[in-house]
Amino acid sequence: MAPPVIFCREISPSPVNSFLQADTQRSLPTSSFSASCLRLPKNNCSLVARCSLKWPDKPSSIIPGALVTSTPQEMSANPVIPQGKIGVLLLNLGGPETLEDVQPFLFNLFADPDIIRLPRLFRFLQRPLAQFISVARAPKSKEGYASIGGGSPLRRITDAQAEALRKALWEKNVPAKVYVGMRYWHPFTEEAIEQIKRDGITKLVVLPLYPQFSISTSGSSLRLLESIFREDEYLVNMQHTVIPSWYQREGYIKAMADLMEKELNSFDRPEEVMIFFSAHGVPVAYVEEAGDPYKAEMEECVDLIMEELEKRRVHNAYTLAYQSRVGPVEWLKPYTDETIIELGKKGVKSILAVPISFVSEHIETLEEIDVEYKELALESGIQNWARVPALGVEPTFISDLADAVIESLPYVGAMAVSNLEARQSLVPLGSVEELLAAYDSQRRELPPPVTVWEWGWTKSAETWNGRAAMLAVLVLLVLEVTTGEGFLHQWGVLIDREG
């Protein structure tokens, strides 16, 4: 009889010994662990165990999808499909489809506490602050959406990706339905969940369309799912699996390298082109104080793509920068705009922009990169500019997403791996609740505006005094906008418009 595959569905501390730490950060002995596993026979398959491990000597690190294996196997042409109706839920940001949608879309965005993280004491201001920011930013945002056709193409592209994924799964003998759930606009995640229930789905794979995990993208969508699941008996009983990030997957890396290689060949001198990876930024506090893995995953993703290009004898210089920062707080550096200017000063003449954190065209690729950053590059002395298109429905990419779904199905899981090299591990699986619990056990709460008040001109005092002053100004502005009264109205700075 063939040896079994052990697919670890959850890890729990042993009654005697464990290498896990409790949420209270209480240290436990480290000699063994216990896991509730699903044991599956498979011909010619080695013993495989998949777990999320936390090492006691590295309290701030999680090793997602830790793998112990030998003799990796090719994916079966006829994968074992679990009983029941299979669904795949694609999660994405969403975007306004018309100019009239812009302000309410922005309100939904900034009302999310994973986007604007207020201290607990001030969380009652979340919605008023979101209203103020959305009203203030809407005119400029409308100009941007008007320049790309009057709305975001994100829904249309995501729907096309869903249909392409459905077809790819059926071609691989996996009869699954694919759903789209947007975080901040239609079709909302709640709408997709209602359709999933109507269709009687019993096994669900949750797949965020963000290659790298971040609090503000995949994390926010999973928080919403967690709240929906807890309130619905049908969902509580439905088996599900989450693929939180997939930037390491071979198919994704090769698809990105294919597009980049094609665009490089459009230059007269491809070898002289600077490859410019531009990723969506996040506040530094998310990474340094809340434990967001986004920066580390982004940097590894870039390294993997460049390694793939080097195998193809492409040895161009490259850099990574972060775009789309908002507000006065410090965001991940280097900033895209500042880096473009600096490259121009250094005499770089050709740039290939690579939107590394996006798999669909939207305003940040079509307007921010294609228009704003291109103009800045030309003004900075850069003569040749091109951009790699977003992956969209690129066949290699879609096929790899289908493989990721198959690998995550409960009765296929650890068996459906075609390449287990050093950094090609299994998809990091887990339920919504378990995944967030593992993440939350590692992160620290972002600091409130004032933990220990410091007067004076120390660096810490300046930071907290400045944040407190900024918060006070925001409160006054919110009151002005919501009540229509105050000194700004008296001075004529703010004017009420009706009708």
Side-chain angles (χ1 to χ4, degrees), residues 139-154:
K140 182 177 175 65
S141 294
K142 285 183 178 179
E143 291 178 6
Y145 283 107
S147 70
I148 63 171
S152 172
L154 191 59

Side-chain angles (χ1 to χ4, degrees), residues 273-308:
V273 176
M274 168 68 71
I275 297 177
F276 191 103
F277 293 96
S278 186
H280 192 287
V282 300
V284 170
Y286 281 28
V287 175
E288 295 184 353
E289 299 180 49
D292 197 331
Y294 178 73
K295 182 175 183 289
E297 292 193 359
M298 184 61 67
E299 291 173 352
E300 184 180 10
C301 179
V302 169
D303 288 343
L304 290 171
I305 293 172
M306 292 309 301
E307 286 176 11
E308 174 63 26

Side-chain angles (χ1 to χ4, degrees), residues 151-163:
S152 172
L154 191 59
R155 177 174 183 173
R156 172 177 51 81
I157 295 172
T158 308
D159 285 343
Q161 290 171 327
E163 177 61 16

Side-chain angles (χ1 to χ4, degrees), residues 117-240:
R117 299 174 65 85
L118 295 179
R120 190 174 290 111
L121 182 63
F122 298 102
R123 284 177 187 171
F124 70 95
L125 290 174
Q126 188 84 45
R127 293 179 68 84
L129 183 59
Q131 181 67 19
F132 171 76
I133 297 175
S134 63
V135 169
R137 289 179 59 87
K140 182 177 175 65
S141 294
K142 285 183 178 179
E143 291 178 6
Y145 283 107
S147 70
I148 63 171
S152 172
L154 191 59
R155 177 174 183 173
R156 172 177 51 81
I157 295 172
T158 308
D159 285 343
Q161 290 171 327
E163 177 61 16
L165 178 58
R166 184 193 66 80
K167 291 180 178 178
L169 287 168
W170 278 76
E171 290 172 358
K172 296 173 185 286
N173 301 315
V174 179
K177 290 189 175 182
V178 183
Y179 305 85
V180 172
M182 300 294 192
R183 182 64 180 88
Y184 304 113
W185 203 244
H186 301 284
F188 289 112
T189 303
E190 296 90 336
E191 298 170 359
I193 290 294
E194 287 303 314
Q195 187 60 52
I196 287 170
K197 291 165 60 178
R198 286 193 293 269
D199 290 344
I201 297 300
T202 58
K203 298 184 183 295
L204 182 68
V205 177
V206 180
L207 176 59
L209 286 177
Y210 310 105
Q212 306 84 14
F213 181 90
S214 174
I215 298 170
S216 58
T217 53
S218 304
S220 176
S221 292
L222 294 178
R223 292 277 174 212
L224 176 61
L225 272 182
E226 181 184 37
S227 65
I228 296 173
F229 277 33
R230 284 180 174 177
E231 297 172 358
D232 193 299
E233 184 178 355
Y234 179 94
L235 299 174
V236 168
N237 295 321
M238 181 179 65
Q239 297 182 24
H240 71 278

